[in-house]
Amino acid sequence: MYKVVIGLEVHSELKTNTKCFCSCENKFGGKPNTHCCPVCVGMPGALPVLNQKAVEYAIKAGLSVGCRINEYSVFERKNYFYPDLAKAYQISQLEYPLCVGGGVEIDVDGKKKFVRLNRIHLEEDAGKLVHTKEGTMIDYNRGGVPLIEIVSEPDLESAEEAVAYLQKLRATLLYLGVSDCKMQEGSLRCDVNLSLHKEGEPFGTRTEMKNLNSFKAVFRAIKYEAKRQEEELDAGRKIIQETRRWDDNAGKSYSMRTKEDAQDYRYFPDPDIIPIEVEKTFIEEIRKNLPKLADDRAKDYVEKLGLTENDAKLLTNEKYVSDYFEETIKYFNEPKFVCNWILGEVFKKLNSLDDESAEIGISAQNMAKLLKLYHSDSIGQKVARNLLDELWGTDLDPEQVVKEKGLMQNNDTSGLEEIIKKIMNNNPKAVNELKSGNQKTMAFFVGQAMKATSGKANPKLVNEIVSKLIK
Ligand code: ADP
Ligand code: MG
Ligand code: ZN
């Protein structure tokens, strides 16, 4: 039996207005090579100037995960040739990164674990190669966009833990508002380092996997690589330290190149950029203004809104869900009811979409209206569920739809009583069964009443009336 050891290198693009070392717009997409200038396409003689906001965002990220902030840090040139990198070096940090240490707590199936971080450093992104029929094109719009690289210690031991760690990091960066963290757009990227060893023995040789564009890809790539290495070792072969490319369609990884070491990149301090000296007051100002993160919000939900710890945790895993919940209860102040609905029906709907980047398809205001109708028994559970489907992705007003389609629940007691009496007269056998204590027959009456009212009878009311009538 082998033990799996995983360390992740996570790259996250910072949401600054301008790029890291020039004043070009920092924005995803756009016509190729329109967000560019002599600095970010690496014209000889063009000089970089550091974007203070990028430093601030990187520190923000560092503080939120308990890093120590280096008051003195240095940009270095990481030299390599690739067409998406016009200067033939990337401005990065090696010896003196901006943030060191810290860590993230993850929770997998109730088992808590602290994953240590090695460092967070600031660097620039490269351009993008676009492969077409005519040939490969280069788009430098992304070149020079500020990135933080978050390097974990090799503390992760399974695909489940790696994904939980990634999710926690992503949520934290989203709560901070420093990055969009869209894996499909590449604003959050992750390299997986993985090795196997036997209990009691030193760590094995690792491989590094690239091109992982979703949590699912990370999960599958880890399972695949752990198995591949196991088979290699069992066959008596050695693991080669190499970089591998994950092909998500094929469900396989392929060797790209043998792994390079730091010295291969001939790092040296960039003579064009003076070292960063961060004042203590600058750091303290950022610390003071850190927003509430998931755990703080969850604590509030338990203490101020009376939710259970588990529900509070589920609601705050993702910032946009937590924001959505808070907005919905502004319009309809029934936290427990709203929470149950979001964690139940809304999550079920989201899961059914099978799209990691899908968000809730109904505005908080309309959701509040729908829930008010349901809470006040104006519509039944089934209608409420159908409405969720129907309104998803639209701006339709639930009240209007309910009115137009005549979906109001029938709460008219005397009208229902007539209908139920008729059903009882037609089904004397069922009445006798119910009288003799067979509660299962109740479902039959509710079903019949629903049928007679095209699903609009209030089942609670039907239950009450039937019970009253058989006495
Ligand atoms: P490099 O810059 O060459 O990729 P680093 O020392 O920065 O190397 O490590 C990169 C990542 O590899 C880190 O996340 C680290 O935790 C992980 N790592 C280091 N050794 C191992 C190992 N034996 N098995 C799995 N992961 C490892
Ligand atoms: Mg690496
Ligand atoms: Zn530029």
Side-chain angles (χ1 to χ4, degrees):
M1 252 327 251
Y2 296 101
K3 291 205 154 253
V4 181
V5 170
I6 300 161
L8 298 189
E9 292 162 277
V10 174
H11 289 90
S12 149
E13 281 181 352
L14 299 177
K15 230 170 49 177
T16 51
N17 292 327
T18 56
K19 291 187 180 179
C20 202
F21 299 104
C22 63
S23 55
C24 289
E25 193 181 5
N26 172 16
K27 196 170 169 210
F28 178 77
K31 209 166 156 267
N33 300 310
T34 53
H35 308 156
C36 298
C37 74
V39 174
C40 56
V41 296
M43 295 287 175
L47 289 173
V49 176
L50 178 60
N51 181 345
Q52 180 172 324
K53 207 66 185 175
V55 176
E56 184 187 319
Y57 280 6
I59 293 176
K60 222 171 164 181
L63 288 175
S64 72
V65 289
C67 292
R68 185 166 58 73
I69 309 302
N70 275 333
E71 284 166 47
Y72 178 84
S73 85
V74 176
F75 284 105
E76 301 200 43
R77 293 184 178 181
K78 179 179 181 181
N79 299 280
Y80 66 96
F81 173 77
Y82 204 63
D84 64 5
L85 189 73
K87 301 196 296 297
Y89 63 84
Q90 178 194 28
I91 304 174
S92 182
Q93 300 193 297
L94 183 70
E95 286 292 310
Y96 302 95
L98 200 50
C99 317
V100 289
V104 171
E105 190 179 78
I106 57 167
D107 185 336
V108 177
D109 297 332
K111 206 178 126 227
K112 290 205 167 101
K113 174 168 189 171
F114 187 76
V115 182
R116 293 167 303 150
L117 295 185
N118 177 280
R119 51 149 65 197
I120 300 179
H121 68 248
L122 187 56
E123 61 185 30
E124 59 175 346
D125 209 344
K128 216 187 301 191
L129 297 185
V130 186
H131 305 287
T132 71
K133 273 205 202 98
E134 290 84 47
T136 298
M137 312 291 179
I138 311 177
D139 177 5
Y140 287 113
N141 281 351
R142 202 180 69 180
V145 165
L147 274 183
I148 47 175
E149 178 170 340
I150 306 167
V151 183
S152 84
E153 293 292 348
D155 286 351
L156 298 157
E157 292 167 297
S158 67
E160 287 78 4
E161 286 186 5
V163 170
Y165 165 81
L166 264 182
Q167 271 166 338
K168 188 75 186 262
L169 265 191
R170 177 172 177 274
T172 305
L173 297 173
L174 286 172
Y175 271 103
L176 292 173
V178 299
S179 173
D180 280 339
C181 293
K182 292 188 178 153
M183 286 191 99
Q184 72 286 6
E185 286 183 7
S187 59
L188 186 77
R189 311 197 287 271
C190 158
D191 302 336
V192 172
N193 296 271
L194 188 150
S195 68
L196 299 185
H197 68 275
K198 287 206 168 119
E199 178 107 57
E201 288 180 7
F203 284 0
T205 303
R206 73 179 197 262
T207 60
E208 179 170 347
M209 266 183 300
K210 293 188 179 289
N211 193 41
L212 302 159
N213 299 324
S214 65
F215 290 136
K216 214 188 243 169
V218 170
F219 188 89
R220 292 173 67 212
I222 288 175
K223 294 274 184 206
Y224 175 87
E225 182 60 11
K227 183 142 182 290
R228 190 193 67 85
Q229 288 192 17
E230 185 180 327
E231 284 167 5
E232 289 292 294
L233 292 172
D234 283 347
R237 287 189 286 267
K238 280 206 169 91
I239 301 301
I240 303 159
Q241 185 165 339
E242 63 184 356
T243 304
R244 301 178 66 86
R245 181 177 193 282
W246 172 251
D247 180 338
D248 206 40
N249 291 324
K252 286 182 179 158
S253 65
Y254 302 95
S255 178
M256 283 166 75
R257 53 176 189 257
T258 56
K259 173 106 181 77
E260 54 294 300
D261 278 325
Q263 58 260 35
D264 297 331
Y265 290 116
R266 296 156 41 238
Y267 278 94
F268 65 90
D270 192 319
D272 289 341
I273 310 170
I274 54 169
I276 317 174
E277 291 187 35
V278 195
E279 283 172 15
K280 273 205 177 72
T281 50
F282 186 73
I283 300 172
E284 287 319 308
E285 196 59 29
I286 297 172
R287 194 194 303 273
K288 240 182 20 215
N289 291 312
L290 282 179
K292 278 196 172 168
L293 300 179
D295 294 348
D296 310 312
R297 286 205 197 183
K299 197 160 163 261
D300 279 356
Y301 293 177
V302 172
E303 288 170 5
K304 295 183 186 152
L305 304 177
L307 302 187
T308 66
E309 252 172 59
N310 195 40
D311 285 355
K313 194 174 163 292
L314 291 171
L315 273 184
T316 52
N317 272 342
E318 288 233 43
K319 174 170 188 283
Y320 95 90
V321 175
S322 168
D323 286 346
Y324 187 88
F325 167 72
E326 291 185 12
E327 204 186 334
T328 308
I329 60 172
K330 262 189 217 148
Y331 296 110
F332 178 46
N333 192 16
E334 289 285 344
K336 185 74 201 152
F337 191 78
V338 173
C339 162
N340 284 344
W341 180 264
I342 292 179
L343 297 183
E345 300 300 326
V346 175
F347 275 19
K348 198 156 74 191
K349 173 79 185 172
L350 279 171
N351 287 337
S352 75
L353 299 176
D354 197 28
D355 172 5
E356 280 175 13
S357 57
E359 296 201 352
I360 300 173
I362 301 180
S363 72
Q365 196 169 2
N366 281 338
M367 184 63 84
K369 282 187 182 173
L370 189 163
L371 291 180
K372 256 186 212 170
L373 289 166
Y374 178 30
H375 189 256
S376 64
D377 276 341
S378 300
I379 57 172
Q381 187 184 48
K382 201 158 160 239
V383 171
R385 282 185 182 152
N386 290 342
L387 268 181
L388 183 72
D389 269 334
E390 197 176 328
L391 300 178
W392 197 273
T394 76
D395 272 333
L396 295 174
D397 180 340
E399 287 166 4
Q400 200 106 20
V401 174
V402 166
K403 217 177 281 164
E404 273 165 19
K405 298 206 162 172
L407 299 172
M408 283 292 186
Q409 182 160 258
N410 190 345
N411 292 314
D412 159 16
T413 316
S414 57
L416 259 183
E417 200 165 311
E418 286 315 305
I419 292 170
I420 291 168
K421 272 184 186 156
K422 218 180 271 168
I423 298 171
M424 289 182 139
N425 284 336
N426 293 337
N427 297 282
K429 218 174 111 198
V431 173
N432 281 334
E433 273 179 38
L434 194 60
K435 275 188 179 154
S436 67
N438 183 356
Q439 277 302 317
K440 277 192 194 142
T441 330
M442 184 58 92
F444 167 77
F445 284 106
V446 174
Q448 289 296 310
M450 283 296 186
K451 216 162 146 190
T453 58
S454 357
K456 282 178 275 177
N458 178 346
K460 251 188 295 180
L461 215 55
V462 175
N463 218 302
E464 276 167 31
I465 295 171
V466 173
S467 305
K468 192 185 81 183
L469 289 177
I470 60 158
K471 270 188 192 142

